[in-house]
Amino acid sequence: MFRKNFIILMLLLAVITSDALAQFNQVLYFMNLPQRTSLNPALRPTSRFNVGLPVVSDISIFLDNNFLNFSDLFLNGVISDSTFSFLEPGDHLNAFLEGLNNKNSVEPQAAVQLFGLGFTVGKDLYITFDLTERFDANIVFPGDLLKLGINGSEGFMGQRIDLSSLRADFKYYHEIGLGISKNFTERLRIGLKGKVLLGVTAGYLDNNGFGLRINDDYTHSLDADMTFNISGPVNVYPVGGGPLESLTFDDARFDSSEGIIAFLTNAGNPGLGFDIGAEYRISERISVSAAVTDLGFIRWKTDRAQLKTSSQFTFSGMTMQDVYEDNVTFNDLLSTTFDSLKSKIYITDGAPFSTFLPVGLTVAGSYSPVKVFSVGLLSHTRFIGKQVHEALTISANVNLGNALSATATYTAANQKYDNLGAGLSLRAGYLQLYTLIDNVPFNWSKAHSGERSYSLPESWNTVHIRLGLNLTFGNKIKERPLTLTQPDVD
């Protein structure tokens, strides 16, 4: 039973954290939608007045890992106790382990727009206001740590494994944004967006040194200098400080609607951010643009707890392979490991700490042989701590005012070269419906569980889904666009 549940869990992990382009929608950039101002504040739609409906106006899901795909998990696509999973010793497992990176990251992110507003003042001044709920997380596993956890200690006997690249952080926050863009010359348009950030909950691991030595008796000697800062609904004991005895979720504050509202409306963790962008029309057919987005931080001051360890200690060498082979239970593994660690983890008076937004750098160009069609080239670089994610996209775009907007894209990102995306927006009266996906899976496999059969993507390297509904008013075409693919409006 454990084996079946574990395999299903790993399947969900692969689907939920498929290798994504991480909080940037390549398909959206050249489409005639109000939401594209989030990628570059200098861009604007052709409609003069836009309203984002609460919750349904813009829902974005960004799911990312750079080491695990559905095709890694199963040899025969069967979900059962007899399934050959990627943990089965053999060539499949060896190939998976050899393909691990030095830094293997998992980055789930999500955003829901609660309200959006955009309107044109005069000829070309465009103003936006939006309120968005955001969550993002980033966990980086050293490749050797995963190899040790899956394959056991044999390959590391007598060695010290450097785990200083291990990092983890998460944050959930409100974003209130106010943007403005304007034509400064006949060819140049500049946009700026300021953001007020209100943090709800966060955790941040500060790794100043982490190493693990595998001893000849299969025990593990660990030396660590790490601090984990928390701002959120947790209880740590003992309250006055000292070695950690327990850490629990404070669910009591969510027993009433008042408690939930108080938690979600906490304004004690302030932050600021901004985006800046520009676009320049070289000729009637060629335009270029650039933007820097998410320059900002949040200062966490409420509900703080800090866990710190700076010591050396030894603990059992049990691994996930022992659990998979039914030598120990998963609960025993967690209990033994936690008991060994918690006496070396100390509670300290947590000082306020800061987390930073992942900065994005975008450079793009567009060529329009005819008014309603363009081809685009887009480069987006995202900086997450010491990690750098680069994505290069080419696209074909059709924009018929804002009655219809369609895009097809090809993206190379994270050493993957099979990312095909598509986007479609249709306007019916004042309603504008859109759906976008940065990677369309073409290869599907059947997965079986008992008498049931499921069609699942065989190797879904990228998933980024965005959909919503806008209210749009006005779309009078006046002259050749300053914006990349859109007609100007008055």
Side-chain angles (χ1 to χ4, degrees):
M1 179 59 69
F2 167 78
R3 179 174 297 186
K4 180 178 180 180
N5 291 337
F6 180 74
I7 290 170
I8 294 174
L9 176 63
M10 295 308 298
L11 170 61
L12 292 174
L13 173 65
V15 174
I16 291 174
T17 59
S18 298
D19 187 10
L21 304 180
Q23 202 150 347
F24 187 88
N25 202 171
Q26 274 74 4
V27 173
L28 174 63
Y29 197 88
F30 294 105
M31 294 186 68
N32 186 14
L33 288 169
Q35 282 73 24
R36 73 194 200 119
T37 60
S38 65
L39 310 182
N40 182 337
L43 306 180
R44 61 165 176 160
T46 61
S47 47
R48 291 186 59 87
F49 191 84
N50 306 283
V51 178
L53 300 175
V55 181
V56 300
S57 66
D58 189 21
I59 301 173
S60 306
I61 301 174
F62 312 89
L63 308 169
D64 174 38
N65 85 72
N66 67 351
F67 67 98
L68 184 63
N69 297 302
F70 174 74
S71 57
D72 293 322
L73 298 181
F74 300 98
L75 294 178
N76 298 324
V78 180
I79 305 174
S80 71
D81 290 334
S82 61
T83 296
F84 289 97
S85 79
F86 79 108
L87 287 181
E88 286 285 352
D91 293 339
H92 188 70
L93 176 59
N94 293 336
F96 170 75
L97 294 176
E98 290 174 2
L100 290 174
N101 306 300
N102 291 330
K103 297 179 180 179
N104 304 275
S105 61
V106 176
E107 298 177 43
Q109 296 146 19
V112 177
Q113 187 181 78
L114 300 182
F115 179 74
L117 178 65
F119 58 93
T120 301
V121 177
K123 179 181 178 181
D124 58 27
L125 181 67
Y126 189 67
I127 298 173
T128 64
F129 174 80
D130 55 76
L131 173 61
T132 305
E133 299 291 290
R134 295 193 181 276
F135 170 84
D136 64 73
N138 175 252
I139 304 173
V140 177
F141 302 97
D144 284 343
L145 181 62
L146 291 173
K147 293 176 183 178
L148 177 66
I150 293 174
N151 223 15
S153 306
E154 291 295 336
F156 299 97
M157 298 301 296
Q159 299 181 31
R160 182 185 183 275
I161 304 173
D162 183 8
L163 304 176
S164 57
S165 62
L166 178 71
R167 67 182 301 268
D169 65 73
F170 69 88
K171 53 185 173 291
Y172 166 43
Y173 60 99
H174 314 302
E175 177 186 292
I176 305 170
L178 178 64
I180 185 171
S181 65
K182 180 176 175 55
N183 296 352
F184 280 77
T185 71
E186 292 184 356
R187 297 180 180 271
L188 176 65
R189 184 175 185 86
I190 296 176
L192 180 66
K193 182 177 182 178
K195 305 175 183 180
V196 174
L197 310 177
L198 300 174
V200 179
T201 185
Y204 172 67
L205 176 64
D206 185 11
N207 185 349
N208 297 313
F210 187 20
L212 186 67
R213 177 173 292 278
I214 312 303
N215 303 315
D216 293 337
D217 60 357
Y218 291 93
T219 58
H220 297 165
S221 296
L222 187 147
D223 58 272
D225 183 5
M226 297 189 296
T227 302
F228 187 62
N229 290 287
I230 305 171
S231 173
V234 296
N235 296 316
V236 292
Y237 297 98
V239 176
L244 175 67
E245 295 182 5
S246 68
L247 186 152
T248 60
F249 180 73
D250 183 13
D251 53 0
R253 67 171 67 186
F254 302 103
D255 289 342
S256 65
S257 58
E258 291 81 3
I260 296 174
I261 293 173
F263 173 72
L264 293 177
T265 57
N266 174 26
N269 303 308
L272 293 173
F274 71 91
D275 304 338
I276 185 170
E279 57 177 341
Y280 183 79
R281 187 172 66 201
I282 298 174
S283 69
E284 288 295 308
R285 299 185 183 277
I286 301 174
S287 297
V288 295
S289 66
V292 177
T293 55
D294 287 333
L295 281 168
F297 70 96
I298 300 175
R299 187 67 170 169
W300 301 91
K301 300 180 179 181
T302 64
D303 289 333
R304 298 191 315 272
Q306 186 179 79
L307 308 179
K308 184 177 180 63
T309 181
S310 181
S311 59
Q312 298 180 352
F313 51 95
T314 299
F315 60 94
S316 168
M318 289 189 298
T319 69
M320 283 301 301
Q321 190 66 28
D322 295 307
V323 179
Y324 183 76
E325 294 173 354
D326 295 328
N327 294 327
V328 296
T329 67
F330 187 65
N331 287 338
D332 287 341
L333 174 64
L334 290 180
S335 178
T336 301
T337 303
F338 184 71
D339 287 343
S340 300
L341 294 177
K342 71 179 184 179
S343 63
K344 303 296 182 180
I345 298 175
Y346 291 84
I347 303 170
T348 63
D349 294 331
F353 64 97
S354 298
T355 58
F356 296 88
L357 303 184
V359 178
L361 173 63
T362 303
V363 178
S366 174
Y367 172 69
S368 302
V370 295
K371 182 178 293 187
V372 298
F373 176 77
S374 69
V375 291
L377 180 64
L378 172 66
S379 171
H380 179 70
T381 307
R382 188 164 177 261
F383 302 89
I384 313 168
K386 297 180 179 180
Q387 291 181 281
V388 179
H389 294 257
E390 169 64 24
L392 184 66
T393 301
I394 57 175
S395 65
N397 317 286
V398 175
N399 288 290
L400 302 178
N402 61 5
L404 182 145
S405 182
T407 295
T409 64
Y410 167 81
T411 298
N414 292 336
Q415 300 180 348
K416 302 294 184 181
Y417 307 98
D418 57 353
N419 300 312
L420 299 178
L424 179 64
S425 168
L426 296 173
R427 179 177 175 181
Y430 297 128
L431 297 179
Q432 183 183 53
L433 178 67
Y434 67 93
T435 181
L436 319 171
I437 182 169
D438 268 317
N439 183 273
V440 180
F442 290 98
N443 298 320
W444 295 74
S445 295
K446 289 289 186 180
H448 306 277
S449 178
E451 297 180 355
R452 296 188 176 185
S453 178
Y454 306 91
S455 293
L456 297 171
E458 183 176 327
S459 182
W460 204 354
N461 295 320
T462 300
V463 57
H464 178 172
I465 300 171
R466 193 163 186 162
L467 52 89
L469 182 68
N470 298 314
L471 294 178
T472 60
F473 305 89
N475 188 47
K476 184 178 179 181
I477 300 174
K478 183 177 181 181
E479 60 185 44
R480 188 72 181 173
L482 176 64
T483 54
L484 291 177
T485 59
Q486 314 299 338
D488 208 350
V489 297
D490 65 11

